[in-house]
Amino acid sequence: METSIEDVAEDAGGPARPATTVADGADAAVGAEAAAPVPVAIRPASLSPSRAGDFMQCPLLYRFRVIDRLPEKPSEAATRGTLVHAVLERLFDAPAAERTAPRAKALVPGQWDRLRESRPEVGELFADDPEGERLARWLGEAERLVERWFTLEDPSLLEPAERELFVEAELDSGLRLRGIIDRVDVAPTGEVRIVDYKTGKAPRPQYAEGALFQMKFYALVVWRLKKVVPRRLQLVYLGSGDVLTYDPVLADLERVERKLLALWEAIRLATETGEWRPRPTKLCGWCDHQAHCPEFGGTPPPYPLPVRAAESGDTEQGRMGPG
């Protein structure tokens, strides 16, 4: 249930990390700006992997983040992920021979300072830590994640074609897909590899398909933009020291496109009818919006968009299958 800076930045289509936090479609703030008065609601206009995942997990969560734009508190885990991403991105500014683990770890304090400047609210995470002991442990955990990356990849042998690449493509249906890809590698032969860093642990094999959804989403956008099917999709899990790879084919991307079109139709219908049903799962325990969720005795805010009465032919919400 974490919404990290990288999630909301890709939804916005704005600058690379650290970035203003915004929600997909409505391009709404969920970080510091979200503490300000909520702006006029805007109908969703595009879809990112994060927001697609929100709707598949719980349609009501999607509404809270995209339509209502309810604020969410920064978390240590999500903020640490943002910090680590920033360090790995900046390391490639150095010449290949200088891309060492000590240099990468040395970047952590400075990138933390930059993050606090761009998002002052993350400083609240350690407001009750006057001696800085918890902050020191937290920064140490970030350094260990950065160091582990060197056991999985050798940055001295890599020259990324793109880092923190914002991509956006419009499908024939008019649906806009957008996101930010951590790294794009291009071989001398022209083959493309899409790489994404994860600071958590690799999922169990039975859940690998869900983890790959984001990568196939990116591959679909690249295919639509460049007419090239990426040769490899690669997830680098720094939390567990695992690398998950998948070599897509065109049929994979066509299936993802069909799934996204069905998902977008469900979002469109929910937007028009105001029917955003909660979908209780174990993840509810980490949700910031329990006070507004009927599953926890809460009441959602008044729906800020015009609604129409549901028709008999309307499909049920919140039932997206694996596709």
Side-chain angles (χ1 to χ4, degrees):
M1 290 293 297
E2 303 290 357
T3 298
S4 63
I5 293 178
E6 52 267 28
D7 292 332
V8 292
E10 74 178 18
D11 296 335
R17 300 179 185 88
T20 303
T21 55
V22 290
D24 174 72
D27 292 344
V30 294
E33 289 99 340
V38 176
V40 176
I42 302 173
R43 290 178 178 273
S46 63
L47 196 60
S48 74
S50 301
R51 298 294 79 83
D54 286 345
F55 189 87
M56 289 188 288
Q57 176 184 318
C58 174
L60 186 58
L61 173 65
Y62 178 98
R63 178 201 149 168
F64 286 156
R65 284 179 168 167
V66 176
I67 305 297
D68 298 300
R69 291 175 259 183
L70 298 181
E72 297 183 354
K73 297 178 181 179
S75 73
E76 291 188 17
T79 305
R80 182 169 52 241
T82 300
L83 174 60
V84 170
H85 274 80
V87 170
L88 300 188
E89 180 192 2
R90 292 276 72 82
L91 183 66
F92 283 105
D93 291 340
E98 298 177 18
R99 297 171 195 161
T100 64
R103 183 185 181 97
K105 291 170 62 177
L107 291 173
V108 171
Q111 291 302 314
W112 170 234
D113 290 339
R114 289 185 60 189
L115 182 56
R116 285 188 300 169
E117 290 175 4
S118 64
R119 282 192 74 199
E121 71 274 14
V122 300
E124 299 174 5
L125 290 169
F126 304 101
D128 59 348
D129 182 37
E131 302 300 322
E133 295 179 0
R134 189 157 56 86
L135 172 60
R137 288 195 300 270
W138 182 84
L139 289 172
E141 292 168 357
E143 291 177 355
R144 284 189 289 275
L145 290 172
V146 168
E147 192 171 30
R148 181 171 290 154
W149 178 51
F150 287 81
T151 69
L152 305 174
E153 296 188 291
D154 184 350
S156 69
L157 302 179
L158 298 171
E159 290 297 340
E162 301 286 352
R163 289 174 278 155
E164 303 302 314
L165 175 66
F166 171 68
V167 291
E168 182 176 40
E170 184 171 318
L171 304 183
D172 295 339
S173 65
L175 170 60
R176 282 190 296 124
L177 305 179
R178 63 191 342 183
I180 293 179
I181 302 175
D182 287 346
R183 198 180 85 219
V184 179
D185 300 330
V186 180
T189 56
E191 294 178 316
V192 175
R193 177 172 63 182
I194 297 176
V195 181
D196 194 75
Y197 309 120
K198 300 294 184 184
T199 50
K201 297 181 179 180
R204 296 177 181 177
Q206 60 266 38
Y207 300 117
E209 182 60 31
L212 283 170
F213 172 76
Q214 173 188 7
M215 304 302 286
K216 291 180 180 180
F217 183 111
Y218 292 147
L220 170 61
V221 176
V222 170
W223 172 54
R224 281 297 189 178
L225 288 174
K226 304 294 185 180
K227 305 303 180 185
V228 173
V229 176
R231 175 67 178 82
R232 173 154 293 183
L233 310 178
Q234 181 166 303
L235 284 160
V236 181
Y237 286 94
L238 304 176
S240 56
D242 295 299
V243 176
L244 175 63
T245 62
Y246 183 81
D247 297 340
V249 295
L250 182 57
D252 290 321
L253 309 188
E254 291 172 337
R255 281 193 294 270
V256 170
E257 182 167 337
R258 290 194 297 270
K259 179 173 183 174
L260 291 173
L261 290 175
L263 181 66
W264 189 247
E265 176 59 21
I267 291 173
R268 182 199 63 78
L269 181 59
T271 303
E272 292 185 356
T273 63
E275 291 290 331
W276 301 92
R277 300 180 184 178
R279 183 170 178 259
T281 67
K282 294 180 180 179
L283 296 175
C284 292
W286 286 272
C287 185
D288 283 344
H289 308 304
Q290 293 182 8
H292 296 287
C293 180
E295 294 294 325
F296 292 87
T299 302
Y303 192 56
L305 295 174
V307 299
R308 67 167 175 81
E311 299 174 359
S312 58
D314 289 342
T315 56
E316 187 176 7
Q317 301 302 307
R319 301 298 183 190
M320 289 298 299

